Amino acid sequence: MIDFSLTEEHQMLRDSVRDFAEREVGPIISEYDKRQKSVYPQVLPKMGELGILGVCIPEKLEGSGLDYLALAIVSEELERMDTSLRVIMSVHTALSSLSLYQWGTTEQQEKYLIPQAKGKKIGAFGLTEPNTGSDVANLKTKAVVEGDEFVLNGAKQWISLVEVADNFLIFAKLGKEKGYRGIAAFIVEKEFSGVSTTSFHDKLGIRTGDTGEIILQDVRVPKENLLGQEGEGFKIAMSALDNGRFTVAAGACGLIKASIDASVEYCHERKAFGQEIGKFELIQEHLAYMQAGYDQSQLLVYKCAWMKNQGLKNTRETAIAKWQATNHASDAANRAIQIHGANGYSGDFPVERYWRNARANTILEGTNEIQKLIQGSFLLGYRKPTSLRCTLPAYEHES
Ligand SMILES: Cc1cc2nc3c(=O)[nH]c(=O)nc-3n(C[C@H](O)[C@H](O)[C@H](O)COP(=O)(O)OP(=O)(O)OC[C@H]3O[C@@H](n4cnc5c(N)ncnc54)[C@H](O)[C@@H]3O)c2cc1C
């Protein structure tokens, strides 16, 4: 029997994250968005106190020991307020911390993962470059061995949490192997000499988050900061994206919910032709599509959460959840603007922010075209369930 009920623990988590988002972020988000001011310095310490920066990290590594459904719930509730909040779950938790958990040595976990799980340090993920996004195997950042160190040179672009992060997972070419086989992953501290960062301005959306560039100039990285083995970088990046995309999909559910909530409220308030606009069937049709998008997306996300909790491979399922949920979120935000009429086009209502934010989610963590290619290549047998993508370790619940 399939059980869709949330445990008491999951419900309490949902309520506490929702309460945090509404109380701490709700009153400021619109103004911060208009001013393009990062919300991270303000919210990260509070999220650390709440224990949500270590979701899915076992208690023995000072995480909260919660499962992947909990990660979905947190992502949904955060993005219900603003996408920049969910980005923290995707980047710090899913892409960085879970990679350190899955691939890190005991020493790396002690040094980097434990402080991240407690929220004392923030992790980020540096894969994309100025000339290479989807075509990961073609990245240009280089690592060479010099004595007991690696020396890294290159540039990373569109890196989330770039200003607040303490550690970056940097992917670079190492050794003679060509293409994806030549990629290695490195833990690079922002404080390492030769690392510099800048944050972009005037992005279409996610304006309360910081996204920017990392320049690596003769950065000396100790040998013990190689994550996994030489040549395993591509596998590490793809396994990280299996987790990151999951949070993007879950967050998209939150954006759909926010679009529905704002629209329902407006439908009752706004009158035309002598009645609430909610009485018009064409308006109800918009709401029906939004609700269908929410239900479909959440089902896909919850299925992935179940698979992840079992330690089952979930690359294809996560990819379809990310593609579908982010498309539904864009559609829902677009419909919410339509329901709001001209007011939806103004900065006085949140729905235009939802629409701008939703737009990024069909691009980041692998564009939706790439998610479609993943479906096609699995169906055609070009991508074997055993090839490249690794299996996530079974979730360890200790309590
Ligand atoms: C807000 C935001 C935050 C981000 N945060 C991070 C981060 O923290 N870390 C990080 O490493 N990156 C991050 N990114 C980068 C993101 O992952 C890349 O933008 C994404 O992978 C796409 O790469 P690209 O932009 O270079 O597009 P390109 O790869 O240049 O693609 C351009 C277009 O071509 C299409 N395309 C490419 N290849 C194919 C193909 N084989 N078949 C069909 N179509 C194809 C794409 O789908 C797209 O439509 C972020 C991006 C955004 C917008």
Side-chain angles (χ1 to χ4, degrees):
M1 195 176 80
I2 299 172
D3 183 358
F4 284 102
S5 58
L6 296 183
T7 63
E8 205 176 313
E9 195 179 30
H10 287 131
Q11 286 179 46
M12 278 167 55
L13 179 72
R14 187 192 58 200
D15 293 346
S16 63
V17 177
R18 187 175 297 178
D19 178 62
F20 156 78
E22 287 175 356
R23 199 166 23 85
E24 302 283 347
V25 189
I28 58 168
I29 193 69
S30 174
E31 190 209 326
Y32 274 44
D33 182 77
K34 284 187 183 112
R35 290 167 51 198
Q36 302 194 42
K37 181 173 169 182
S38 169
V39 81
Y40 296 149
Q42 199 160 334
V43 299
L44 282 168
K46 289 171 186 161
M47 288 171 78
E49 282 165 29
L50 207 56
I52 56 176
L53 295 179
V55 179
C56 287
I57 304 298
E59 287 169 2
K60 68 173 184 229
L61 294 168
E62 313 230 9
S64 51
L66 296 168
D67 66 0
Y68 284 90
L69 183 54
L71 182 57
I73 290 168
V74 174
S75 301
E76 175 172 341
E77 288 305 324
L78 291 176
E79 188 148 2
R80 199 171 161 207
M81 178 54 63
D82 193 77
T83 304
S84 61
L85 298 181
R86 188 273 305 152
V87 166
I88 297 167
M89 285 299 112
S90 300
V91 175
H92 168 80
T93 305
L95 296 177
S96 175
S97 295
L98 283 173
S99 297
L100 294 172
Y101 171 44
Q102 185 170 352
W103 299 91
T105 60
T106 306
E107 293 72 29
Q108 288 170 343
Q109 291 182 344
E110 267 170 23
K111 187 167 180 191
Y112 294 107
L113 177 56
I114 290 176
Q116 287 192 192
K118 291 196 285 192
K120 301 281 178 218
K121 298 277 181 188
I122 298 299
F125 185 80
L127 183 63
T128 307
E129 301 188 347
N131 296 309
T132 316
S134 311
D135 187 9
V136 172
N138 202 25
L139 61 80
K140 297 286 181 259
T141 297
K142 258 200 155 357
V144 292
V145 181
E146 273 187 25
D148 277 349
E149 295 171 319
F150 299 102
V151 180
L152 268 61
N153 278 288
K156 298 289 173 180
Q157 232 178 43
W158 288 102
I159 307 307
S160 303
L161 309 184
V162 74
E163 296 294 11
V164 288
D166 301 284
N167 312 310
F168 300 109
L169 268 191
I170 296 289
F171 295 86
K173 284 276 170 68
L174 170 70
K176 291 196 182 78
E177 291 274 13
K178 292 213 161 46
Y180 69 82
R181 289 180 206 280
I183 299 174
F186 303 87
I187 306 166
V188 177
E189 295 178 25
K190 188 188 262 164
E191 292 306 315
F192 284 174
S193 174
V195 177
S196 56
T197 59
T198 44
S199 194
F200 297 153
H201 278 270
D202 296 326
K203 299 190 301 267
L204 177 67
I206 319 188
R207 289 183 164 220
T208 59
D210 71 62
T211 318
E213 186 175 53
I214 308 171
I215 302 292
L216 303 146
Q217 201 169 11
D218 295 326
V219 179
R220 305 191 84 83
V221 178
K223 271 206 162 158
E224 57 269 23
N225 280 27
L226 176 71
L227 186 67
Q229 304 297 314
E230 283 192 35
E232 276 191 330
F234 187 76
K235 220 152 82 167
I236 294 172
M238 295 304 127
S239 72
L241 288 168
D242 279 352
N243 290 329
R245 286 170 187 161
F246 170 70
T247 60
V248 175
C253 295
L255 200 146
I256 301 171
K257 193 82 179 78
S259 302
I260 293 173
D261 291 346
S263 300
V264 166
E265 194 182 332
Y266 193 78
C267 281
H268 287 309
E269 276 170 14
R270 184 75 176 180
K271 294 203 170 50
F273 298 94
Q275 58 181 1
E276 289 182 1
I277 61 165
K279 299 274 185 190
F280 298 123
E281 286 166 0
L282 289 178
I283 292 288
Q284 289 181 17
E285 186 192 38
H286 283 305
L287 291 172
Y289 272 112
M290 291 154 87
Q291 185 63 45
Y294 179 78
D295 287 349
Q296 289 163 25
S297 304
Q298 203 188 44
L299 279 173
L300 290 170
V301 168
Y302 279 21
K303 180 183 172 189
C304 292
W306 176 82
M307 293 182 80
K308 285 172 180 290
N309 284 345
Q310 310 301 313
L312 299 173
K313 271 179 66 68
N314 53 85
T315 299
R316 189 194 67 74
E317 291 80 1
T318 301
I320 206 164
K322 191 269 184 190
W323 162 31
Q324 290 297 304
T326 58
N327 269 7
H328 281 306
S330 280
D331 180 64
N334 195 34
R335 288 179 189 277
I337 292 178
Q338 196 67 16
I339 289 172
H340 282 70
N343 281 334
Y345 200 66
S346 78
D348 297 337
F349 288 81
V351 291
E352 61 84 36
R353 173 166 54 86
Y354 301 157
W355 181 79
R356 287 187 285 104
N357 286 347
R359 199 63 194 79
N361 292 338
T362 64
I363 298 169
L364 46 74
E365 302 225 17
T367 63
N368 283 5
E369 285 81 3
I370 296 299
Q371 312 313 318
K372 290 177 204 171
L373 291 181
I374 291 173
Q375 306 311 311
S377 58
F378 268 110
L379 285 170
L380 290 161
Y382 300 149
R383 187 188 294 249
K384 301 277 184 278
T386 47
S387 75
L388 281 176
R389 306 298 203 271
C390 54
T391 307
L392 213 83
Y395 155 70
E396 297 172 31
H397 202 295
E398 297 165 319
S399 53

